[in-house]
C-alpha cells in the first residue's frame, strides 16, 4: 500500500495548490480527483470558462455596438458563431486543466483518478469503475468543493431549467433567459447572453443585487446593466418554475404579495452553491459535518479529527477560488510545522461583469452596523481621462477610512478593470495604509488607477483634484 505524508481529496484551486505547497515543503503528497480532468469547479465549470465567455461576448458587443464610434467600419453584417465561441471556451479550459496535470508532474505529486472515500482516519479508498486502490496518509486535506444549489420546488432538467454548469455549454443563445438570483454567477452569465442577443430578466428575492457587497456598488451595477437592456425584478420571491415544451414559466410574488409570472425559453437557477461531501464517507474517519453539509473546522482549518483538515468551498467563508488557494497553502504550511495566517478581511470579492465590481474590507453598511466612525471618499470613473479615451464611463472608486486614524477600512469599486485595480487596495490594507498614504503615492497617468488616488484624496481631506 502506498504511504503518504499528505493526501489531498479534490483538485480544485484549494486542493491542487495545497498539493503543490505540500510538495514544495518536502512532504510526500498524493492528490485524488474523481473526474478525469483536474482543476475542479474553477477551471472546468466556474471561473475560467465564465471569464472566457465574458471576454468573447464583450468582443462581440464591442464589434456590433462600439466599433463604429471608434471609426471602425466592417463591410457586411457581423455574425455570431456561437458554436465556435463555446469551442474556444472549451479549448481555454483544456489548456488550463492540462497545466495542472503538468504542475502535479513537475512537483512529483502522485495523481489518483477516482472517488476518494475514507476507510478510517488514515486510509482512503479510491474507486474508479471496478478498480480500487487504498492509500495510507498521515494527514488528509479535504478539498471537495461545492455544487450548485437550487430551491426545493425547482426541478432542474439541465436542458432548459439549468445551473451555471449547463449555461456554460448551451447549444444556442436563449431568446429569453430568466435568471433566478441576482448574485455574481447569475449576473455574469446573464450579461454574456444579453450581449449575444438574448432578452434577460433577473428575478431576485432581496431588494438589491450582489447583496453582500457595498450597497453603492449594487446600485451602480444595476444602473449600468439596465442600460445594457437587462431587466431586474427585485424583492420577488419565486414560488414555482414550470416547463411546457420549450416554454418556461417562473411564478413569483412581489413586495405587495401580488403573483407575477415570467415566461422565457431558458431559466438559469443561480441561487448559490452548497458544500459537497457526497461519497466521501467522512463518518468512517469520524469527521463532523454540519447540518448544512459543511465540514466543521477550527481557525487552523483542522477538523475535529486532528490529522484531517478541510479547505475551500466545503468549509465556512466566501466561496472563492483565491480563498480556497490561500487556505490550501496555509494548511500545507501548518502540516510542515510553520505558523501561517490568513487575513479573511482582506480576501477581495470581484464580479466580472462590465463594468467590473471589486471590493475589499468592510462595506459602509458593515461599518455603520459596527458603530465605527469613518470617512468616505468617492471618485467617479467618468472624470478620468483614461475612461473618456476608452469610453468606459460607468462606475466609481470609494474609499472608507477610520475617522480618527485615517486607516483604510474598505475599498469598493465599479468600473473598467477594477478586478485588477483592487490589488492595490489589498496591498495598502495589508500594510495598514492610511487614505493619505495612498493619496500621496504617484499613480501613472492616464490610468483607471488614478481614481484610487483621487478617492483617497477625497477621503483624506476632501480635496480630489479632478472633480
Ligand atoms: C460559474 C462560476 C463562476 C465562478 N467564478 C469565480 C471567479 O471568477 N472567481 C472566484 O474566485 N471564484 C469563482 N467561482 C467559485 C470557484 O469556482 C470556487 O470557489 C472554487 O472552485 C472552490 O475551490 P475548491 O478547491 O474548494 O473546490 P472545487 O473547485 O469545487 O473542487 C473540488 C474538486 O473535488 C472533487 N471531488 C469532490 N469529491 C471528491 C471525492 N470524494 N473524491 C475525489 N474528488 C472529489 C471534485 O470533482 C472537484 O474537482 C465561480 C464558480 C462558478 C460556478
Amino acid at each position: 500500500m502506498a504511504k503518504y505524508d499528505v493526501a489531498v481529496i479534490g483538485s480544485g484551486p484549494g486542493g491542487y495548490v495545497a498539493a503543490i505547497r505540500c510538495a514544495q515543503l518536502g512532504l510526500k503528497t498524493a492528490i485524488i480527483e474523481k473526474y478525469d480532468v483536474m482543476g475542479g469547479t474553477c477551471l472546468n465549470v466556474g471561473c475560467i470558462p465564465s471569464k472566457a465567455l465574458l471576454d468573447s461576448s464583450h468582443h462581440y458587443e464591442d464589434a456590433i455596438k462600439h466599433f463604429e464610434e471608434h471609426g471602425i467600419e466592417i463591410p457586411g453584417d457581423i455574425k455570431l458563431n456561437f458554436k465556435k465561441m463555446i469551442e474556444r471556451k472549451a479549448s481555454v479550459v483544456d489548456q488550463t486543466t492540462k497545466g495542472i496535470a503538468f504542475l502535479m508532474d513537475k512537483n512529483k505529486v502522485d495523481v489518483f483518478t477516482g472517488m476518494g472515500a475514507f476507510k478510517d482516519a488514515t486510509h482512503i479508498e479510491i474507486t474508479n469503475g471496478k478498480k480500487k486502490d487504498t492509500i495510507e496518509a498521515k494527514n488528509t486535506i479535504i478539498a471537495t468543493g461545492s455544487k450548485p444549489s437550487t430551491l426545493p420546488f425547482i426541478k432542474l432538467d439541465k436542458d432548459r431549467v439549468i445551473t451555471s454548469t449547463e449555461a456554460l455549454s448551451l447549444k444556442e443563445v436563449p431568446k429569453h433567459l430568466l435568471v433566478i438570483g441576482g448574485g455574481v454567477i447569475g449576473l455574469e452569465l446573464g450579461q454574456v447572453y444579453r450581449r449575444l442577443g438574448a432578452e434577460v430578466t433577473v428575478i431576485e428575492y432581496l431588494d438589491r443585487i450582489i447583496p453582500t457587497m457595498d450597497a453603492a456598488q449594487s446600485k451602480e451595477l444595476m444602473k449600468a446593466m439596465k442600460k445594457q437592456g437587462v431587466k431586474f425584478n427585485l424583492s420577488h420571491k419565486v414560488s414555482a418554475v414550470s416547463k411546457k415544451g420549450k416554454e418556461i414559466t417562473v411564478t413569483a410574488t412581489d413586495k405587495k404579495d401580488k403573483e407575477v409570472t415570467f415566461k422565457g425559453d431558458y431559466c438559469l437557477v443561480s441561487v448559490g452553491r452548497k458544500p459537497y461531501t457526497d461519497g466521501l464517507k467522512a463518518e468512517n474517519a469520524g469527521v463532523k459535518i454540519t447540518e448544512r453539509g459543511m465540514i466543521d473546522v477550527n481557525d487552523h482549518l483542522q477538523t475535529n479529527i486532528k490529522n484531517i483538515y478541510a479547505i475551500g468551498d466545503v468549509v465556512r467563508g466566501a466561496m472563492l477560488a483565491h480563498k480556497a488557494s490561500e487556505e490550501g497553502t496555509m494548511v500545507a504550511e501548518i502540516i510542515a510545522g510553520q505558523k501561517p495566517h490568513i487575513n479573511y478581511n482582506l480576501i477581495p470579492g470581484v464580479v466580472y461583469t462590465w463594468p467590473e465590481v471589486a471590493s475589499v474590507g468592510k462595506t459602509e453598511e458593515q461599518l455603520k452596523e459596527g458603530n465605527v466612525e469613518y470617512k468616505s471618499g468617492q471618485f467617479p470613473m467618468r472624470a478620468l481621462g483614461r475612461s473618456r479615451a476608452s469610453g468606459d464611463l460607468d462606475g466609481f472608486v470609494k474609499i472608507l477610512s477610520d475617522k480618527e486614524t485615517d486607516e483604510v477600512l474598505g475599498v469598493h469599486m465599479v468600473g473598467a478593470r477594477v478586478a485588477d485595480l483592487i490589488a492595490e487596495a489589498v496591498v495598502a490594507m495589508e500594510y495598514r495604509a492610511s487614505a493619505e498614504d495612498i493619496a500621496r503615492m504617484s499613480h501613472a497617468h492616464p490610468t483607471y488607477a488614478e481614481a484610487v488616488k483621487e478617492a483617497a484624496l477625497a477621503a483624506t481631506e476632501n480635496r480630489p483634484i479632478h472633480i
Side-chain angles (χ1 to χ4, degrees):
M1 186 192 311
K3 293 185 180 179
Y4 292 92
D5 294 317
V6 185
V8 182
I9 308 180
S11 71
Y16 86 75
V17 170
I20 293 173
R21 189 71 189 114
C22 285
Q24 284 176 343
L25 291 163
L27 299 163
K28 189 166 188 262
T29 307
I31 192 163
I32 305 159
E33 171 53 55
K34 69 174 180 158
Y35 290 120
D36 292 341
V37 280
M38 283 186 280
T41 304
C42 171
L43 274 64
N44 291 285
V45 289
C47 324
I48 301 301
S50 59
K51 266 79 260 178
L53 287 183
L54 277 157
D55 282 336
S56 296
S57 61
H58 202 164
H59 287 311
Y60 177 67
E61 187 185 49
D62 274 345
I64 55 171
K65 286 199 183 149
H66 304 300
F67 273 12
E68 214 182 329
E69 76 202 55
H70 287 269
I72 305 166
E73 288 172 9
I74 297 181
D77 289 341
I78 295 167
K79 272 201 223 128
L80 172 68
N81 184 339
F82 184 58
K83 187 167 170 274
K84 195 163 175 186
M85 197 177 275
I86 295 284
E87 281 166 6
R88 176 189 177 273
K89 175 224 70 177
S91 139
V92 171
V93 168
D94 187 50
Q95 289 162 34
T96 318
T97 55
K98 280 189 181 135
I100 305 300
F102 164 80
L103 290 173
M104 292 303 117
D105 198 37
K106 183 184 159 205
N107 286 283
K108 302 195 172 39
V109 173
D110 287 348
V111 177
F112 290 86
T113 303
M115 189 75 186
F118 284 102
K119 286 178 99 168
D120 57 40
T122 48
H123 293 88
I124 300 159
E125 185 173 69
I126 303 149
T127 308
N128 187 355
K130 288 199 177 122
K131 191 169 166 272
K132 280 189 195 296
D133 273 313
T134 298
I135 62 169
E136 189 177 304
K138 280 191 209 151
N139 299 283
T140 297
I141 304 174
I142 303 171
T144 50
S146 63
K147 287 276 173 215
S149 52
T150 181
L151 298 170
F153 51 84
I154 297 179
K155 189 177 172 299
L156 293 165
D157 69 357
K158 301 198 173 179
D159 175 32
R160 286 182 181 271
V161 184
I162 58 177
T163 69
S164 56
T165 303
E166 296 75 48
L168 291 165
S169 294
L170 289 181
K171 299 235 160 17
E172 60 178 357
V173 175
K175 289 187 182 60
H176 187 170
L177 178 66
L178 303 173
V179 179
I180 303 180
V184 181
I185 293 175
L187 296 179
E188 288 184 3
L189 292 171
Q191 190 171 66
V192 164
Y193 287 107
R194 175 68 204 125
R195 288 169 176 163
L196 300 181
E199 206 180 312
V200 175
T201 301
V202 176
I203 306 148
E204 165 60 48
Y205 175 69
L206 295 174
D207 61 0
R208 63 179 174 109
I209 58 170
I210 45 168
T212 56
M213 299 186 102
D214 194 277
Q217 291 173 301
S218 307
K219 220 168 134 188
E220 184 75 5
L221 179 64
M222 193 162 99
K223 198 169 85 187
M225 288 186 73
K226 270 185 175 172
K227 275 195 278 178
Q228 295 157 6
V230 176
K231 295 197 179 88
F232 289 93
N233 299 272
L234 304 180
S235 306
H236 276 63
K237 185 178 179 191
V238 172
S239 54
V241 176
S242 62
K243 179 178 149 186
K244 204 170 170 194
K246 290 183 178 176
E247 190 180 76
I248 310 295
T249 306
V250 172
T251 310
T253 41
D254 68 10
K255 250 200 309 229
K256 292 177 186 146
D257 239 8
K258 198 175 125 226
E259 197 170 274
V260 197
T261 56
F262 303 91
K263 288 194 189 297
D265 56 341
Y266 284 87
C267 173
L268 168 62
V269 181
S270 47
V271 293
R273 295 180 62 83
K274 54 174 190 274
Y276 181 75
T277 52
D278 292 3
L280 182 64
K281 299 193 180 157
E283 66 283 0
N284 288 349
V287 171
K288 255 195 233 150
I289 296 183
T290 68
E291 260 174 41
R292 294 187 50 228
M294 203 175 270
I295 296 190
D296 229 353
V297 285
N298 63 17
D299 287 350
H300 296 109
L301 296 155
Q302 193 175 34
T303 67
N304 59 311
I305 304 299
K306 75 174 188 343
N307 65 321
I308 302 180
Y309 298 81
I311 59 170
D313 281 10
V314 80
V315 302
R316 82 284 179 274
M319 287 188 169
L320 291 170
H322 43 289
K323 177 256 191 189
S325 298
E326 292 304 331
E327 290 183 337
T329 302
M330 170 156 149
V331 167
E333 292 175 355
I334 288 173
I335 293 172
Q338 300 183 2
K339 292 193 166 43
H341 169 74
I342 295 175
N343 183 349
Y344 283 95
N345 186 42
L346 297 189
I347 304 272
V350 173
V351 188
Y352 294 82
T353 47
W354 200 263
E356 293 179 333
V357 184
S359 227
V360 65
K362 301 279 182 257
T363 63
E364 206 158 340
E365 294 71 40
Q366 285 170 331
L367 293 179
K368 279 183 188 149
E369 233 171 76
N371 293 320
V372 179
E373 292 209 76
Y374 64 93
K375 299 176 291 175
S376 170
Q378 190 162 322
F379 188 82
M381 290 297 189
R382 63 176 53 249
L384 294 174
R386 186 72 192 88
S387 299
R388 277 196 302 278
S390 70
D392 295 300
L393 300 173
D394 289 325
F396 59 81
V397 173
K398 174 160 106 173
I399 296 188
L400 305 170
S401 66
D402 187 279
K403 196 168 181 184
E404 207 176 311
T405 65
D406 196 34
E407 179 176 349
V408 178
L409 303 174
V411 180
H412 309 288
M413 309 175 169
V414 179
R417 300 196 202 155
V418 298
D420 296 291
L421 283 194
I422 199 69
E424 177 182 357
V426 177
V427 173
M429 289 176 72
E430 186 64 48
Y431 286 94
R432 303 195 61 178
S434 63
E436 186 179 351
D437 288 331
I438 300 177
R440 290 194 180 279
M441 281 182 229
S442 174
H443 288 67
H445 173 77
T447 58
Y448 299 110
E450 286 174 286
V452 180
K453 181 185 172 89
E454 292 273 8
L457 279 166
T460 312
E461 289 172 1
N462 197 18
R463 56 170 186 93
I465 303 287
H466 291 94
I467 45 166

